[in-house]
């Protein structure tokens, strides 16, 4: 393997696969994990890409995640799948659930998979892209460790759960929306603290649940949900589907992977897929998706250098560029990947 920090997609998939094999995963499982994380890197989501080898690896090494998980799938109804992840690494459980939902949707037109006994499964957009490329529209979500206080509350009771949507375009870019439930990520608050800057009081509260402009107080407090009480309700809905209906942990029953890395989190995920080929021809959907995007792109921008975009366009542009020019890997991440890969 080259010592350069720029890799082709194929090289990075190979290195990522070998790194997770070095952490004890079977080759096929390690390839599933690498596929999700490398796709995140291609999208420019480096915080959720192969850099996760650090946190995932720590938990694998202390037994908090099962390296050789025996994932099982039940079919209680023609369009319904229940996945037990056996405390496997999250992207592996996610890929099993996605494939199960795709299988059900191909047979029934609609497929729903609920996963339990899982862990952090990366960003949602890689799953949304895989589904869209196969012709499926998707609604995908997961719950998470608690970092958000209930609306009007003063302690963390719900997670910053991700929710994503995807719609295929047979002859063009798919629609991909991937979002968490907080106004901003904690990383933005940490960056403000490093700069000595204040933050908007809509980003977070202090530890007493009061809005704050002090980033230090915000880091000691709680993230605020998007849209105020409406975002709070949406976050609860994601946890209802991902946690309650999947028979996984929910709200404060989800263990912190930071505080208790050696214990299973029992995170839950849900995948709701629609086989768009049942709705019309590829030409029909392409025409409508192209027109949909054109209507939005046709809006005169408020700022000339910031044209209107459709969700997913930034990530897909990043992917095209990095597939052409190569993917830059942080030296510290590369060192860790190569260290684990050497054990494979």
């Amino acid at each position: 393997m080259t010592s350069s920090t720029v890799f082709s997609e194929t090289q990075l998939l190979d290195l990522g696969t070998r790194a997770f094999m070095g952490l004890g995963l079977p080759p096929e499982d390690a390839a599933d994990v690498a596929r999700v994380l490398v796709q995140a890197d291609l999208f420019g989501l480096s915080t959720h890409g192969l850099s996760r080898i650090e946190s995932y690896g720590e938990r694998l090494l202390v037994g908090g995640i099962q390296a050789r998980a025996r994932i099982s799938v039940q079919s209680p109804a023609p369009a319904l799948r229940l996945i037990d992840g056996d405390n496997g690494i999250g992207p592996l459980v996610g890929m099993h659930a996605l494939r199960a939902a795709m299988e059900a949707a191909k047979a029934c037109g609609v497929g729903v998979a609920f996963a339990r006994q899982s862990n952090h499964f990366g960003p949602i957009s890689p799953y949304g892209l895989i589904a869209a490329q196969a012709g499926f529209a998707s609604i995908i979500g997961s719950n998470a460790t608690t970092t958000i206080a209930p609306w009007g509350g003063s302690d963390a009771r719900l997670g910053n759960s991700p929710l994503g949507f995807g719609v295929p375009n047979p002859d063009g870019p798919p629609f991909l929306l991937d979002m968490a439930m907080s106004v901003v990520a904690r990383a933005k608050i940490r960056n403000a603290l490093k700069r000595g800057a204040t933050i908007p009081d809509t980003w977070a509260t202090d530890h007493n649940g009061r809005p704050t402009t002090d980033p230090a107080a915000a880091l000691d407090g709680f993230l605020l949900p998007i849209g105020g009480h409406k975002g709070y309700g949406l976050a609860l809905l994601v946890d209802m589907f991902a946690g309650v209906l999947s028979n996984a942990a929910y709200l404060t029953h989800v263990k912190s992977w930071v505080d208790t890395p050696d214990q299973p989190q029992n995170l839950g995920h849900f995948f709701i897929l629609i086989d768009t080929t049942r709705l019309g021809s590829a030409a029909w959907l392409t025409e409508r998706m192209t027109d949909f995007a054109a209507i939005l792109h046709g809006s005169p921008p408020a700022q000339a250098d910031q044209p209107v975009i459709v969700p997913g366009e930034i990530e897909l542009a990043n992917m095209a560029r990095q597939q052409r020019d190569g993917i830059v890997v942080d030296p510290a991440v590369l060192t860790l990947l190569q260290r684990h890969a050497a054990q494979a």
Side-chain angles (χ1 to χ4, degrees):
M1 178 63 64
T2 176
S3 60
S4 171
T5 58
V6 179
F7 293 81
S8 70
E9 181 180 357
T10 300
Q11 288 176 320
L12 202 54
L13 282 168
D14 176 69
L15 177 59
T17 298
R18 290 190 293 109
F20 281 102
M21 288 173 59
L23 285 164
L25 273 69
E28 186 175 340
D29 292 355
D32 264 348
V33 175
R35 182 181 184 188
V36 173
L37 299 184
V38 170
Q39 185 60 59
D41 281 319
L42 283 168
F43 279 160
L45 308 173
S46 59
T47 57
H48 285 60
L50 280 176
S51 65
R52 288 285 168 170
I53 189 78
E54 180 179 6
S55 55
Y56 292 177
E58 287 174 354
R59 296 195 62 219
L60 282 161
L61 291 172
V62 299
I65 295 176
Q66 172 69 260
R68 292 183 174 269
R70 296 180 179 273
I71 299 171
S72 61
V73 180
Q74 295 181 319
S75 303
L80 189 61
R81 302 290 184 269
L82 303 179
I83 291 82
D84 187 317
D86 191 33
N87 194 35
I89 190 166
L92 174 63
V93 181
M95 286 299 294
H96 274 260
L98 175 62
R99 284 193 287 260
M102 290 169 66
E103 176 191 51
K106 182 58 69 175
C108 302
V110 176
V112 180
F114 291 105
R116 63 187 292 269
Q117 293 295 345
S118 187
N119 294 279
H120 185 280
F121 77 159
I124 287 175
S125 50
Y127 303 104
L129 177 65
I130 293 168
Q133 289 174 333
F136 299 101
S138 62
I139 305 173
I140 303 170
S142 174
N143 58 7
T145 304
T146 55
T147 54
I148 298 176
W151 191 250
S154 60
D155 62 352
R157 299 280 172 129
L158 64 150
N160 190 16
S161 302
L163 176 65
F165 301 82
V167 181
N169 182 346
D171 196 29
F175 174 98
L176 295 172
L177 176 62
D178 183 352
M179 62 183 186
M181 294 296 104
S182 64
V183 176
V184 297
R186 291 180 71 86
K188 287 193 175 183
I189 300 175
R190 285 194 291 268
N191 290 339
L193 180 64
K194 291 177 182 178
R195 297 194 311 270
T198 59
I199 61 172
D201 64 3
T202 55
W203 282 13
T205 70
D206 61 20
H207 69 279
N208 291 315
R210 295 186 296 257
T212 182
T213 60
D214 179 359
L219 291 172
D220 191 39
F222 315 103
L223 297 173
L224 281 170
I226 54 174
H229 65 282
K230 296 180 181 179
Y232 165 58
L234 186 58
L236 294 182
L237 180 64
V238 174
D239 207 342
M240 280 278 186
F241 275 63
V244 175
L245 295 183
S246 69
N247 200 30
Y250 52 86
L251 299 178
T252 55
H253 294 309
V254 175
K255 293 184 181 296
S256 168
W257 62 310
V258 175
D259 298 335
T260 55
D262 59 336
Q263 297 183 31
Q265 282 194 287
N266 190 16
L267 284 188
H269 322 306
F270 65 88
F271 293 76
I272 302 172
L273 301 188
I274 301 167
D275 183 359
T276 60
T277 65
R278 303 290 191 99
L279 303 176
S281 68
W284 165 82
L285 184 55
T286 294
E287 180 183 1
R288 294 180 68 80
M289 289 294 288
T290 302
D291 182 58
F292 190 96
I295 291 171
L296 299 174
H297 290 152
S299 177
Q303 299 185 45
D305 60 342
Q306 297 181 23
V308 173
I309 61 173
V310 176
E313 288 182 346
I314 292 176
E315 291 82 0
L316 292 169
N318 287 337
M319 180 173 73
R321 174 178 53 80
Q322 294 197 98
Q323 286 177 329
R324 181 188 68 239
D325 301 335
I327 308 165
V328 177
V329 180
D330 180 88
V333 174
L334 177 58
T335 297
L336 200 53
L337 287 167
Q338 292 176 329
R339 182 188 309 161
H340 289 306
Q343 303 302 313

